[in-house]
């Protein structure tokens, strides 16, 4: 399996050269921006998006506040679990980085000596995007869009094949969705206990937020009779 995508006629390799070839026609400063965004920037953006969603959930309050926060807690945990699952996958497939087997790639970031399949960055960002979707559809769609951008950046940078990215997307999504019922069953009662505690209850519901059984109409809020209702409702 280490010989995956060694043929130049492979569509995976062809798409790699097409996307990475764009770097030859972009200014040096743009490549440096993509390098930062693809390596660290989008990961930081995903973290900030989770925090923003949490702040929105706290202000809204309502019946589903504890469940929504539980989904947000599960989001980074799921990304961590997906990374652990990827360890044996990488060791089994043993696919070299694309620049090892293919000449002429414009590699924007150095120091990549580990295996290529599947992409950790794609796995993390998609796991967090899907996890956000379980808490709030609007934030989740934004997170999934960031994950797709991350995948494009990894191929543009010359450090992953397109199928590395697709595999990362599939792995992150599978871990979140398959383990979500168990995670929510464990985390939701904990968040409800935190919500009821006088000192730490504001982690779940901000002062002035709608009490349980009521909904505060702010952007991204759950509503029992609207199409914008979140999956965790």
């Amino acid at each position: 399996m280490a010989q995956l995508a060694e043929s130049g006629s492979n569509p995976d390799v062809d798409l790699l050269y097409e996307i990475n070839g764009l770097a030859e026609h972009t200014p040096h400063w743009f490549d440096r921006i993509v390098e930062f965004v693809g390596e660290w920037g989008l990961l930081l953006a995903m973290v900030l998006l989770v925090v923003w969603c949490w702040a929105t959930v706290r202000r809204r309050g309502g019946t589903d506040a504890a469940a929504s926060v539980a989904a947000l807690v599960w989001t980074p945990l799921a990304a961590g679990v997906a990374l652990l699952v990827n360890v044996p996958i990488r060791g089994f497939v043993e696919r070299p980085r694309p620049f090892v087997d293919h000449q002429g790639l414009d590699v924007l970031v150095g120091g990549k000596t580990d295996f290529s399949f599947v992409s950790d960055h794609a796995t993390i960002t998609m796991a967090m995007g899907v996890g956000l979707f379980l808490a709030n559809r609007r934030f989740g769609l934004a997170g999934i869009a960031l994950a797709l951008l991350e995948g494009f950046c990894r191929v543009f940078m010359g450090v992953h094949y397109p199928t590395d990215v697709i595999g990362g997307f599939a792995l992150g999504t599978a871990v979140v969705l398959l383990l979500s019922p168990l995670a929510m069953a464990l985390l939701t009662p904990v968040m409800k206990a935190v919500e009821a505690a006088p000192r730490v209850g504001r982690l779940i519901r901000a002062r002035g937020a709608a009490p349980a059984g009521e909904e505060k109409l702010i952007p991204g809020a759950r509503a029992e009779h609207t199409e914008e209702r979140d999956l965790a409702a």
Side-chain angles (χ1 to χ4, degrees), residues 54-120:
W54 168 69
T56 300
V57 169
R58 288 182 67 247
R59 290 196 307 269
R60 184 189 66 224
T63 306
D64 301 319
S68 294
V69 174
L72 291 174
V73 172
W74 169 234
T75 295
L77 292 177
V81 171
L83 281 181
L84 291 176
V85 173
N86 191 28
V87 172
I89 293 177
R90 280 195 167 194
F92 176 73
V93 177
E94 294 185 340
R95 184 190 226 178
R97 295 280 181 170
F99 52 79
V100 173
D101 293 328
H102 303 284
Q103 302 298 317
L105 292 173
D106 191 355
V107 183
L108 301 186
V109 58
K112 300 294 182 182
T113 58
D114 55 344
F115 294 122
S116 185
F117 186 89
V118 298
S119 167
D120 281 340

Side-chain angles (χ1 to χ4, degrees), residues 30-206:
F30 182 82
D31 291 346
R32 299 286 72 81
I33 290 176
V34 173
E35 176 186 347
F36 172 77
V37 169
E39 194 72 8
W40 302 108
L42 287 171
L43 294 177
L44 176 60
M46 292 297 298
V47 172
L48 294 177
L49 196 61
V50 171
V51 174
W52 186 5
C53 185
W54 168 69
T56 300
V57 169
R58 288 182 67 247
R59 290 196 307 269
R60 184 189 66 224
T63 306
D64 301 319
S68 294
V69 174
L72 291 174
V73 172
W74 169 234
T75 295
L77 292 177
V81 171
L83 281 181
L84 291 176
V85 173
N86 191 28
V87 172
I89 293 177
R90 280 195 167 194
F92 176 73
V93 177
E94 294 185 340
R95 184 190 226 178
R97 295 280 181 170
F99 52 79
V100 173
D101 293 328
H102 303 284
Q103 302 298 317
L105 292 173
D106 191 355
V107 183
L108 301 186
V109 58
K112 300 294 182 182
T113 58
D114 55 344
F115 294 122
S116 185
F117 186 89
V118 298
S119 167
D120 281 340
H121 283 73
T123 300
I124 293 172
T125 52
M126 186 56 74
M128 295 187 72
V130 175
L132 272 170
F133 192 81
L134 297 180
N136 184 288
R137 285 185 177 180
R138 292 181 180 179
F139 282 95
L141 290 175
I144 291 172
L146 290 180
L148 295 175
L149 179 59
E150 177 70 82
F152 177 85
C153 287
R154 302 307 288 176
V155 180
F156 183 92
M157 293 161 62
V159 295
H160 280 294
Y161 294 98
T163 47
D164 296 337
V165 169
I166 294 172
F169 289 164
L171 176 60
T173 301
V175 168
V176 173
L177 296 183
L178 290 177
L179 298 182
S180 177
L182 175 61
M184 294 300 292
L186 295 175
L187 290 172
T188 300
V190 174
M191 295 303 107
K192 287 183 177 179
V194 171
E195 182 181 15
R199 293 187 178 181
V200 294
R202 292 181 186 174
L203 292 173
I204 311 298
R205 187 189 310 278

